[in-house]
Amino acid sequence: MPTALIADDEVALAEYLRTQLAELWPELTILPLVHNGLDALRLIDELAPDIAFLDIRMPGLTGLEVAAKLRDTAVAPHIVFVTAYDQYAVDAFEGEAVDYLLKPPGLERLQRTVAKLQRHLNTRHSQPATPSTDLLAKLAGLLQVAPAAPRLEWIRAAHGNETRLIAVDEVIYFEARDKYVSVFTNDGESLIRTPLKELLDSLDPARFWQVHRGTIVAVRHIAGTLRDFRGRTLLKLKTHPQQLVVSRAYLHLFKQM
């Protein structure tokens, strides 16, 4: 049975990936999740998984640094990088990755990755994978993509009679309300006129998730989920009493919570 390691400092995303892989590839044995590069390298050394899903930005060692350390080992796992940033594509493929997934990968996209990994496992057993023709073609496409726009870091918002400058790190969640979007922080509620869709496009997808048509939440403020009497999934927040409804389209992000 093939084995796989998932290393991602975003716990919810790591759990999501494990759930999706279990559905798509029931024969795959997934090792305990790790959330930093040092633990990833240690478990790969100890347990020699066939596959490693590595987040590129992790504490300790980045996914690219983990891959670099594995490059000269006798039996390295097939590596798939999982990240929110497409600008690392060149480094990823130079690191002989089998694939490069942008977060959060959809089921169809992940299915293609599983198919590639299965082909590699069926044809190669002792050597790390090398980039295939279709991956190189994808890389060429990524290289032609214009650099990503800078992510939003500050928000100018109305709070009563004053205007506040709010760091996005302080935001717990955004909620669309008629002509305005409410910005919730530990200091209260402020208002902006930026449409929610436009706001979402300017936020870092690794830090903010849309969980409902009218709601975007900061991932680091999510404490967990619960079900109400109507069967809806609600998000509990770490420092705010409000519970946020998760619509069906985004339930896959929280299946293991």
Side-chain angles (χ1 to χ4, degrees):
M1 294 293 183
T3 57
L5 174 86
I6 298 173
D8 196 314
D9 64 338
E10 294 180 66
V11 177
L13 274 174
E15 293 282 2
Y16 163 72
L17 185 56
R18 177 164 63 179
T19 301
Q20 300 293 69
L21 285 171
E23 180 177 339
L24 292 170
W25 197 352
E27 299 81 12
L28 182 67
T29 299
I30 300 177
L31 303 178
L33 303 180
V34 296
H35 305 296
N36 65 73
L38 292 174
D39 284 345
L41 190 60
R42 177 179 56 79
L43 273 192
I44 290 171
D45 284 340
E46 292 177 2
L47 303 177
D50 299 294
I51 303 159
F53 291 87
L54 302 177
D55 183 16
I56 285 188
R57 285 192 175 181
M58 289 188 291
L61 292 171
T62 68
L64 292 172
E65 289 170 336
V66 172
K69 289 181 179 296
L70 294 171
R71 192 169 299 157
D72 297 327
T73 58
V75 181
H78 297 282
I79 293 173
V80 176
F81 289 107
V82 187
T83 182
Y85 306 93
D86 62 11
Q87 67 264 38
Y88 297 109
V90 174
D91 291 339
F93 287 113
E94 285 181 348
E96 299 180 335
V98 173
D99 210 343
Y100 186 99
L101 293 172
L102 292 178
K103 294 181 180 180
L107 198 61
E108 183 179 347
R109 178 64 182 86
L110 190 56
Q111 174 70 73
R112 296 203 298 272
T113 299
V114 166
K116 290 177 185 176
L117 288 167
Q118 290 171 335
R119 287 198 297 272
H120 278 281
L121 289 174
N122 287 335
T123 56
R124 306 184 65 189
H125 301 287
S126 60
Q127 297 296 322
T130 55
S132 59
T133 302
D134 59 332
L135 288 178
L136 292 174
K138 178 185 175 184
L139 174 58
L142 286 170
L143 289 172
Q144 294 173 3
V145 174
R151 298 299 182 187
L152 185 66
E153 294 295 340
W154 296 93
I155 296 168
R156 189 182 300 276
H159 186 85
N161 293 326
E162 64 176 297
T163 299
R164 287 182 172 178
L165 194 58
I166 301 172
V168 293
D169 280 342
E170 298 177 14
V171 176
I172 300 173
Y173 68 99
F174 299 96
E175 188 171 70
R177 293 184 176 181
D178 297 327
K179 298 179 180 179
Y180 297 92
V181 168
S182 292
V183 183
F184 291 90
T185 69
N186 284 324
D187 293 329
E189 177 182 357
S190 303
L191 298 174
I192 59 176
R193 287 182 175 272
T194 306
L196 201 72
K197 175 64 171 65
E198 181 178 331
L199 187 63
L200 181 65
D201 290 342
S202 65
L203 293 169
D204 184 343
R207 295 157 65 189
F208 289 89
W209 291 352
Q210 185 168 19
V211 298
H212 189 277
R213 184 177 60 183
T215 312
I216 299 170
V217 64
V219 178
R220 72 187 187 93
H221 285 284
I222 297 174
T225 63
L226 54 87
R227 300 289 292 275
D228 68 3
F229 69 97
R230 296 166 58 185
R232 299 181 305 174
T233 298
L234 305 178
L235 280 190
K236 294 191 300 182
L237 302 171
K238 293 177 180 176
T239 60
H240 196 281
Q242 183 66 35
Q243 295 178 344
L244 306 177
V245 175
V246 181
S247 64
R248 282 181 170 274
Y250 306 100
L251 282 179
H252 62 272
L253 296 171
F254 308 100
K255 278 187 176 178
Q256 291 299 311
M257 285 188 171

